[in-house]
Amino acid sequence: MPVSYEYERPALTVDCVLFGLDEEGLKVLLIRRGMEPYQGKWALPGGFVRVGEALRNAAERELEEEAGVKNVFLEQLYTFGDPGRDPREHVVSVAYYALVNLEDHEVVADTDASDAGWFALDDLPGLAFDHEEILEVAKERLKGKIRYQPIGFELLPELFSLSRLQKLYEAVLERPLDKRNFRKKLLKLGILEETDEVEKDVARRAARLYRFDREAYDRMVKEGFELQL
């Protein structure tokens, strides 16, 4: 039975920080708002949660509606509830972050977004609402998580070179890594499976390609591990 309250209540939204990786480095998906407030400004995909809708379902729906992105890894990030974060009213936002392989997801602006695109993290436009703060929290979460989970499952294609894997870690950690030390530590974990395939259409000597061993990774997650780089 519905329950009524005599006092005003905050509205509820979800916001999504969607990270992707290409040859240039780590990128984030932004949409250009097609309506007020902040019409014409770039922002993270997101919107209001519908009555009876689960938070995760709302995040997945907003990603698909605003940017045409679906079937991605999603994890709840943090709750942002400053009463002044939205000029319309007191809005509480539950933020999610997602990781995708850019080759698998073409973005298309829809609903209340007039445009959508991938932006390099070191070349971002000014963002609407408190989305710069949300993005910073997501970046820090990603830096921590990459040390105890091989997030490359979502950011890399099925087959990849060790050089590309290292570029991923360097992009997330925002610092260079020693090639020999990095490869030694990653291979020692036993979660990478060497294949018989090599890179194609490269000017330099083609590198051997690897894939993640999901079974070995799942066992290691249960036992617990931390990658010191």
Side-chain angles (χ1 to χ4, degrees):
M1 175 177 279
V3 178
S4 297
Y5 296 92
E6 296 181 357
Y7 54 84
E8 294 183 357
R9 299 173 298 281
L12 181 63
T13 63
V14 290
D15 286 302
C16 301
V17 185
L18 188 59
F19 291 111
L21 185 75
D22 63 13
E23 293 298 329
E24 298 176 355
L26 202 63
K27 296 190 173 181
V28 65
L29 176 65
L30 300 178
I31 57 101
R32 190 189 293 275
R33 289 184 57 78
M35 60 178 64
E36 295 292 351
Y38 301 108
Q39 184 174 5
K41 292 273 289 185
W42 290 96
L44 298 170
F48 288 94
V49 179
R50 296 171 179 171
V51 174
E53 185 176 37
L55 289 172
R56 183 184 179 88
N57 291 346
E60 292 173 340
R61 173 179 56 77
E62 287 293 341
L63 275 175
E64 184 171 1
E65 287 182 354
E66 292 194 333
V69 174
K70 56 184 178 180
N71 300 324
V72 299
F73 166 89
L74 268 179
E75 187 168 282
Q76 196 170 122
L77 175 66
Y78 195 73
T79 301
F80 297 83
D82 189 314
R85 62 179 301 274
D86 192 314
R88 292 168 293 191
E89 58 181 316
H90 184 185
V91 177
V92 174
S93 179
V94 178
Y96 283 79
Y97 78 102
L99 309 171
V100 301
N101 173 15
L102 290 185
E103 297 173 3
D104 297 336
H105 297 278
E106 181 181 357
V107 298
V108 181
D110 204 350
T111 63
D112 59 348
S114 63
D115 196 6
W118 293 99
F119 287 79
L121 293 180
D122 59 359
D123 188 26
L124 294 173
L127 303 184
F129 304 103
D130 57 351
H131 289 185
E132 291 180 13
E133 178 186 355
I134 295 176
L135 178 55
E136 285 302 313
V137 172
K139 285 168 61 179
E140 289 305 310
R141 173 69 64 85
L142 199 57
K143 283 183 182 180
K145 193 177 184 71
I146 201 172
R147 297 178 182 276
Y148 63 89
Q149 274 196 3
I151 56 174
F153 273 125
E154 287 77 29
L155 288 169
L156 294 174
E158 181 184 359
L159 299 180
F160 52 86
S161 67
L162 293 181
S163 293
R164 185 162 185 182
L165 182 60
Q166 182 172 337
K167 286 181 180 178
L168 161 63
Y169 274 79
E170 291 177 333
V172 172
L173 296 174
E174 298 182 296
R175 62 182 175 86
L177 298 171
D178 179 76
K179 178 179 177 180
R180 183 177 179 182
N181 187 51
F182 174 80
R183 296 189 176 196
K184 179 181 178 182
K185 289 186 175 182
L186 261 294
L187 292 173
K188 188 177 180 180
L189 289 176
I191 58 174
L192 297 180
E193 178 184 329
E194 185 176 358
T195 73
D196 294 328
E197 298 190 47
V198 297
E199 293 177 308
K200 295 181 176 63
D201 302 321
V202 292
R204 51 180 168 73
R205 180 181 177 185
R208 180 75 62 183
L209 296 179
Y210 291 74
R211 65 164 58 93
F212 280 111
D213 185 331
R214 174 64 79 173
E215 242 181 75
Y217 164 66
D218 288 340
R219 287 197 305 269
M220 187 161 285
V221 167
K222 291 179 181 179
E223 297 170 1
F225 73 93
E226 183 175 356
L227 183 61
Q228 294 290 342
L229 294 172

